[in-house]
Amino acid sequence: MSKIRTSTCVVLSTVIMFLSLGTGAQVPAVFNRILPILKAAEQNAPKADSKIWPGFEFEKTPIFIWDADSGQGLLLNTSSIPKGFTQPFASMPRVALGPIPPGTTPADAVMPVVDRLAAWLNVQALTSAKDQATAVGVLYRSAFDVFEPYQNFVQASPLSSGTYPYLNANANALAMAENRLLAKMVGAGQSQAAPLLAAFLQIRQKRQALLPPAIAKYEWTHEVDDGISQYAAYQAMAVSARAEAEQDLIKQIESFKPTQPETEATHWAFSGCALALALDETGKDWKVMFQKGSRDSLEPVIEEVTKGVTPADTAFLDMSQLQKQAEEAVQEIKSQQQNFLDQILKADGLIVKLNLTGVIGNHGIKWSNRYSTKDVYHLGDGREIRNSYYQLKGQGFLTCTSGRPLLIIVRRSMTVGFSKDHMPWVKVDGKQAGFKKGVTTLTGKVEIRGDRYELAISDARLDFDAASHTLTVTPLPEEASGAGATAAQQQ
């Protein structure tokens, strides 16, 4: 589940029209479907709130559940019905139905709605939940995201793409050991909680000593920011389905793979939740300890509650086997990286390099990109390989879409390679491009299509180097465009 963060309102390019709802306004069907979830969340509050955090009250935390299809939303936990809203459910007087505010881009974030700060939540997060207890947890997680800033919890910041050191085999072996300890903590009971936490802290600190200090801070901060919100979700789920909540948490923890960056970003929510539950089991008032500190890490709290505690026996971790697994996994990733690099840079047909150096910073072009988070290989120095869907758009000027191995040098270039048996076709101003021996330059409207690759630019220069069979495509924004399509033979 993605973390909901504080954000500002963004103006839509097409303004969502304000819908005036009268007392007889029809409730969108999707909101009728989630009514049992809303009632369950309300009923859970007396039991869940006290377990989550001192001062937290679900029923006093505004949540705006929005539906893009109808342009409307449900405002939960409102003390009064705002202007332009109606009361859709007689059985739930603290729920209001109204329009998505004009000029606001709906997003899962903490943003204003009417005159109050609320957690915005896409209704699909509830309708797609596997069961009612899970959906109730989603609501509580969202509510706690509103509560956190008022408690001065430090808001975590994401790492830049490719920053996390996921190819360090020694660190990865220790991360796998941490994971096994976290899974063992869930439901372990009071007698085992402190020893397991002490063992966990030893391994965590040993691993983080191998990494840059900024990475250690990033992990601990996310375990607070994301992890305690997930802990709130767990406590709400556990009111009616504790066993299922435990199994779900263990499953999420075990799904983390240190060599897969796409699992790293969400991992800290579940590890932080497991740590909070283990701290509960110690019987110590750890939340008061946390509030007396910097509120950006659970490390000082774990150190405090494990003082004088003998760490649990970790022989079951089998560190030599974990080290072997970690080394093999890292070697496999490196081999995959080299294989993809060879497919791109040593292709025997045509290498197409999109040169972005002089265009990506052009403020006259509205840039956007869409991509899959799967099969991404970070090489360092701003280089990465993507072997999944990736699209870059410069509105009205350039579109590049790839589903094949793609070498990206951030803000500089995007390169793909084609074999002789799968050559793409290249057109300039609608005509098939022909290249002679040597280096040939063409300019004009460019279209390139090949297996899982398309590039279209309204004006660009093509430089072909026959020796390396590399075609470099340099976009020419309007202010730098040529007068038309020309060809020149460079000797």
Side-chain angles (χ1 to χ4, degrees):
M1 289 175 279
S2 61
K3 171 65 182 172
I4 296 177
R5 306 190 179 286
T6 302
S7 69
T8 56
C9 296
V10 181
V11 177
L12 282 166
S13 56
T14 302
V15 175
I16 298 174
M17 295 302 292
F18 192 94
L19 304 176
S20 178
L21 298 173
T23 55
Q26 186 167 347
V27 180
V30 68
F31 292 146
N32 283 316
R33 291 204 301 272
I34 66 169
L35 183 57
I37 297 170
L38 306 185
K39 288 183 176 180
E42 190 176 82
Q43 292 165 2
N44 278 17
K47 295 180 179 179
D49 287 0
S50 60
K51 294 181 180 180
I52 292 172
W53 206 266
F56 173 74
E57 294 180 89
F58 175 79
E59 292 183 284
K60 290 186 179 180
T61 308
I63 302 173
F64 187 65
I65 303 172
W66 56 273
D67 171 42
D69 291 338
S70 67
Q72 299 180 49
L74 289 180
L75 180 60
L76 275 59
N77 303 329
T78 179
S79 56
S80 60
I81 304 301
K83 184 179 179 180
F85 282 64
T86 61
Q87 191 178 86
F89 308 122
S91 60
M92 299 194 73
R94 292 173 58 81
V95 175
L97 172 68
I100 295 174
T104 303
T105 301
D108 286 357
V110 176
M111 304 191 296
V113 59
V114 194
D115 59 349
R116 64 210 75 189
L117 196 65
W120 285 53
L121 181 66
N122 190 331
V123 69
Q124 293 179 5
L126 302 179
T127 58
S128 64
K130 71 172 187 174
D131 52 40
Q132 181 172 286
T134 302
V136 168
V138 171
L139 285 171
Y140 271 75
R141 186 190 68 207
S142 300
F144 200 83
D145 287 331
V146 179
F147 179 75
E148 279 187 343
Y150 292 110
Q151 297 297 305
N152 295 318
F153 283 25
V154 174
Q155 298 286 290
S157 299
L159 287 176
S160 299
S161 178
T163 304
Y164 198 82
Y166 69 102
L167 293 183
N168 184 322
N170 293 332
N172 288 354
L174 293 167
M176 293 161 70
E178 286 179 33
N179 238 32
R180 290 189 178 183
L181 283 168
L182 285 167
K184 195 175 181 66
M185 285 180 203
V186 180
Q190 186 171 1
S191 63
Q192 297 183 60
L196 286 170
L197 281 167
F200 170 87
L201 188 61
Q202 284 185 344
I203 292 174
R204 166 67 65 90
Q205 291 176 337
K206 183 178 180 181
R207 178 180 63 84
Q208 289 183 336
L210 303 175
L211 307 175
I215 298 297
K217 181 178 180 181
Y218 162 83
E219 293 178 354
W220 285 114
T221 305
H222 271 274
E223 282 176 333
V224 168
D225 190 15
D226 298 338
I228 299 182
S229 290
Q230 188 59 39
Y231 166 79
Y234 177 94
Q235 295 289 18
M237 291 172 62
V239 170
S240 60
R242 177 167 294 278
E244 290 82 354
E246 284 187 2
Q247 290 305 311
D248 282 353
L249 180 57
I250 292 171
K251 182 179 178 180
Q252 292 289 349
I253 290 170
E254 291 178 342
S255 70
F256 173 56
K257 302 292 186 293
T259 54
Q260 296 177 3
E262 64 268 22
T263 66
E264 176 272 320
T266 57
H267 171 64
W268 312 112
F270 302 107
S271 62
C273 176
L275 290 173
L277 291 169
L279 286 166
D280 280 347
E281 290 291 348
T282 65
K284 303 290 182 66
D285 199 350
W286 69 271
K287 293 169 186 174
V288 172
M289 298 177 194
F290 176 82
Q291 289 176 309
K292 288 180 179 179
S294 58
R295 306 189 186 194
D296 63 351
S297 172
L298 291 174
E299 184 178 25
V301 178
I302 297 173
E303 288 178 334
E304 182 65 26
V305 302
T306 58
K307 278 183 179 177
V309 173
T310 302
D313 183 6
T314 57
F316 76 95
L317 295 175
D318 195 354
M319 286 304 305
S320 61
Q321 181 62 24
L322 291 181
Q323 183 69 33
K324 180 182 177 182
Q325 291 176 12
E327 290 173 357
E328 289 175 349
V330 167
Q331 186 54 49
E332 181 180 356
I333 295 292
K334 289 182 176 180
S335 296
Q336 290 173 339
Q337 289 179 349
Q338 190 58 53
N339 181 47
F340 286 133
L341 277 174
D342 290 346
Q343 287 183 46
I344 297 167
L345 301 180
K346 295 183 180 180
D348 60 5
L350 183 67
I351 298 169
V352 179
K353 177 181 178 181
L354 176 59
N355 177 18
L356 298 169
T357 305
V359 71
I360 202 69
N362 189 309
H363 299 298
I365 301 172
K366 183 178 179 180
W367 294 97
S368 64
N369 62 0
R370 300 176 64 187
Y371 51 85
S372 168
T373 58
K374 295 182 178 179
D375 296 326
V376 181
Y377 302 86
H378 299 286
L379 308 180
D381 299 323
R383 300 183 307 145
E384 64 185 31
I385 296 172
R386 291 181 177 268
N387 187 36
S388 53
Y389 177 81
Y390 186 88
Q391 183 180 75
L392 174 68
K393 272 192 173 184
Q395 191 174 38
F397 177 66
L398 178 152
T399 300
C400 181
T401 306
S402 176
R404 60 188 299 112
L406 175 71
L407 173 61
I408 298 175
I409 302 180
V410 178
R411 302 184 67 83
R412 291 175 58 188
S413 64
M414 294 165 55
T415 306
V416 294
F418 296 90
S419 68
K420 288 180 179 179
D421 298 331
H422 295 88
M423 292 285 284
W425 59 254
V426 180
K427 290 185 178 180
V428 178
D429 289 338
K431 298 179 181 179
Q432 191 75 26
F435 300 103
K436 301 177 182 179
K437 293 182 179 180
V439 179
T440 302
T441 298
L442 302 173
T443 64
K445 181 180 178 180
V446 172
E447 296 175 84
I448 301 176
R449 289 191 182 183
D451 179 30
R452 293 172 293 150
Y453 182 81
E454 292 185 12
L455 174 62
I457 310 175
S458 58
D459 199 1
R461 187 181 76 245
L462 278 65
D463 297 295
F464 179 66
D465 181 1
S468 63
H469 41 90
T470 298
L471 182 65
T472 301
V473 184
T474 303
L476 301 174
E478 187 175 346
E479 63 270 21
S481 297
T486 62
Q489 181 74 27
Q490 296 184 8
Q491 304 299 324

